[in-house]
Amino acid sequence: MSRVAVLGGGLAGIRAALDAADAGHAVTLLERAPRLGGLAGSFERAGRGVDTGQHVFLRCCTAYRALLDRLAVTDATVLQDRLDVTVLRPGRAPARLRRTGAPAPLHLAASLLRYDPVPRRARVALGRAALALRAVDPADPAADRETFGAWLRRHGQGAVAVRGVWDLIGLPTLNLPADEASLALAAVVFRVGLLGAADAADLGWARVPLGELHDVAARRALTGAGVTVATGTRVVAVHRDLRVTTTGRDGRRDTLAADAVVCALPPEIAAAVLPAPLATRLAVDAAALGTSPIVDVHLRYDRTVLDVPFAAGLDTPVQWVFDRTREGDTGQYLVVSLSAANAYLARPSRDLVATFTAALASLLPRARAARVLDAFVTRAPRATFRPVPGTAAHRPAAATPLPGLALAGAWTDTGWPATMEGAVRSGSTAAALVAAPRAADRVAA
Ligand SMILES: Cc1cc2nc3c(=O)[nH]c(=O)nc-3n(C[C@H](O)[C@H](O)[C@H](O)COP(=O)(O)OP(=O)(O)OC[C@H]3O[C@@H](n4cnc5c(N)ncnc54)[C@H](O)[C@@H]3O)c2cc1C
């Protein structure tokens, strides 16, 4: 058995710690915050758990779903039987994107042919572009040199199709509009999610605050596996001999000796604490990856105003809206999720609440007469990296030049955009690299 230190208790760190413990190592998980879950967590507000931002996953997120199973919380999530998205527009009947039981790529054909936000002729062109996108290899460097928007235009997609279909799905998953996003990462989203297996894009979400999954249940699973969970512990330096220096809540310095380290910290923190020369390269990567914000506007109405669990918006500032009402709540609690939210990040909450109350009133007739009982805004300025062309070169592999040290995190080279799935995959990869079951242990077992 060797000593493994896992730095960062987000999804990548949680997965890495569980895998290393399962492989028979003595694992310590070091997390700066008082809770686990990182970007995919929740906090208490007026006695109620509130997510730091609405999170969804797809049926094809197999690694994240396996983590939910491992944490024994799959029952606390919902997964649609079949992808079914209501698309709301001001003054128009809602449109719908849903799959049939047909195999991919025909599973969406019927829905797209009836999808009236896009003119009839352009609907056929949608199918042609979707088929062409299936042929784009996300690993081809050429695909990371072009924007998704430029590629779509070359494949006959006009502004209406981009807005009405490609950005409707791409914006929340890539956290950038098609005109800025790398074709390579867009190809991953659409190939794996929408155009791969017919059921791949069935949508899932948590029925409870994310903290119940990624903090409470994760902590239970980790301690059950024998992991020492040290929250409130900030990593300040990792030395070349793999000693890890930390400071606790009381400011006291400590040093932990380790035989292997999985660094699952955000890129700019990894660059600040890891030893040179790796740190120098990571600082360049962190700066090049940049950040893209997500803002959520939370509105509690005195009555039910939205009849579906979630909806996308078109020709409105509302990108996606989710019903997060829980048993025992009065009225309905809606969360408007805004990706690539640079324009909203610095706007005062009062302003955002007014904008989105009005926008919802124009989409949902019952919201016009409803009273808003409570409203607030959550902001995640560093929600994801900016998946622009050229990003691939700045996403490091798990392996580092320092033996025993591996990198993890949604920002590393997972092949996925910055998602929960990417984070979990990265944790498994890093743990397998430095904390695999040792041959001697395997023989002993
Ligand atoms: C508002 C919002 C909405 C999102 N929506 C979705 C979605 O719908 N679907 C989806 O798949 N993904 C979504 N994401 C992205 C997803 O949350 C992240 O990609 C994923 O959670 C990242 O996990 P991670 O473990 O790589 O990193 P992080 O969650 O950033 O974990 C890093 C951890 O390191 C800790 N840390 C930092 N510094 C130190 C230090 N010095 N010492 C010790 N610990 C430290 C942090 O506190 C944190 O817990 C969303 C993100 C946000 C913010």
Side-chain angles (χ1 to χ4, degrees):
M1 182 192 280
S2 52
R3 300 158 301 174
V4 179
V6 176
L7 322 182
L11 293 175
I14 292 168
R15 180 75 263 178
L18 284 169
D19 284 2
D22 290 347
H25 300 287
V27 183
T28 304
L29 177 60
L30 304 166
E31 165 58 49
R32 176 182 65 181
R35 55 171 182 78
L36 300 177
L39 292 170
S42 53
F43 61 94
E44 285 285 313
R45 183 180 183 277
R48 180 194 179 93
V50 174
D51 290 349
T52 45
Q54 175 64 42
H55 279 64
V56 299
F57 58 93
L58 303 179
R59 193 183 290 279
C60 64
C61 294
T62 49
Y64 175 66
R65 290 176 53 224
L67 178 65
L68 292 176
D69 278 348
R70 173 65 200 274
L71 304 183
V73 290
T74 297
D75 285 355
T77 63
V78 185
L79 185 54
Q80 291 184 315
D81 290 336
R82 280 190 186 177
L83 173 73
D84 188 350
V85 181
T86 299
V87 181
L88 302 170
R89 296 167 291 174
R92 307 280 303 272
R96 238 168 132 181
L97 279 172
R98 59 182 157 160
R99 75 170 174 96
T100 61
L106 297 176
H107 60 316
L108 288 169
S111 183
L112 284 174
L113 285 171
R114 274 198 304 269
Y115 187 64
D116 72 355
V118 173
R120 197 179 303 255
R121 247 199 358 258
R123 289 179 219 161
V124 179
L126 277 174
R128 278 200 300 270
L131 287 178
L133 193 53
R134 272 164 54 113
V136 173
D137 176 5
D140 178 356
D144 194 41
R145 282 198 286 269
E146 183 174 20
T147 65
F148 185 35
W151 185 94
L152 286 171
R153 275 190 292 281
R154 281 203 288 113
H155 287 80
Q157 303 300 292
V160 178
V162 171
R163 219 177 46 243
V165 176
W166 301 107
D167 266 347
L168 198 82
I169 295 152
L171 184 61
T173 39
L174 294 163
N175 203 18
L176 270 193
D179 271 339
E180 294 174 52
S182 159
L183 168 62
L185 283 166
V188 173
V189 167
F190 285 94
R191 277 173 48 131
V192 180
L194 271 188
L195 307 166
D199 64 357
D202 301 341
L203 216 71
W205 61 93
R207 284 191 286 111
V208 297
L210 285 174
E212 288 187 27
L213 315 181
H214 303 155
D215 180 30
V216 179
R219 204 181 276 267
R220 199 184 308 128
L222 286 160
T223 47
V227 175
T228 303
V229 178
T231 44
T233 307
R234 179 193 295 264
V235 173
V236 291
V238 179
H239 308 276
R240 296 194 67 78
D241 60 2
L242 300 185
R243 277 176 310 116
V244 181
T245 303
T246 60
T247 52
R249 278 191 204 99
D250 53 6
R252 226 190 53 205
R253 272 198 177 229
D254 226 329
T255 297
L256 181 81
D259 305 302
V261 171
V262 172
C263 176
L265 299 168
E268 70 286 359
I269 309 284
V273 303
L274 292 178
L278 177 61
T280 317
R281 202 198 78 206
L282 290 182
V284 172
D285 290 338
L289 286 173
T291 54
S292 187
I294 298 179
V295 169
D296 283 39
V297 181
H298 304 246
L299 298 162
R300 193 157 63 80
Y301 286 92
D302 66 349
R303 67 197 74 178
T304 300
V305 297
L306 176 71
D307 288 328
V308 287
F310 65 89
L314 206 54
D315 305 326
T316 159
V318 174
Q319 293 176 9
W320 285 71
V321 55
F322 294 82
D323 177 6
R324 294 307 305 268
T325 313
R326 268 173 250 150
E327 226 175 272
D329 280 353
T330 319
Q332 191 175 37
Y333 169 33
L334 298 187
V335 175
V336 177
S337 173
L338 302 163
S339 299
N342 291 293
Y344 298 120
L345 198 57
R347 266 175 64 181
S349 298
R350 209 169 349 110
D351 201 11
L352 291 176
V353 167
T355 300
F356 286 94
T357 309
L360 284 174
S362 75
L363 296 173
L364 306 168
R366 262 176 285 142
R368 287 168 209 157
R371 245 174 8 105
V372 175
L373 302 176
D374 187 21
F376 59 98
V377 175
T378 48
R379 299 164 209 263
R382 317 181 72 87
T384 68
F385 64 84
R386 292 187 78 239
V388 293
T391 302
H394 293 287
R395 298 182 72 186
T400 72
L402 199 61
L405 172 68
L407 298 175
W411 59 281
T412 59
D413 183 15
T414 65
W416 283 66
T419 51
M420 299 192 286
E421 176 70 7
V424 175
R425 283 174 182 245
S426 76
S428 299
T429 308
L433 210 60
V434 296
R438 291 188 319 178
D441 297 341
R442 282 202 300 272
V443 172

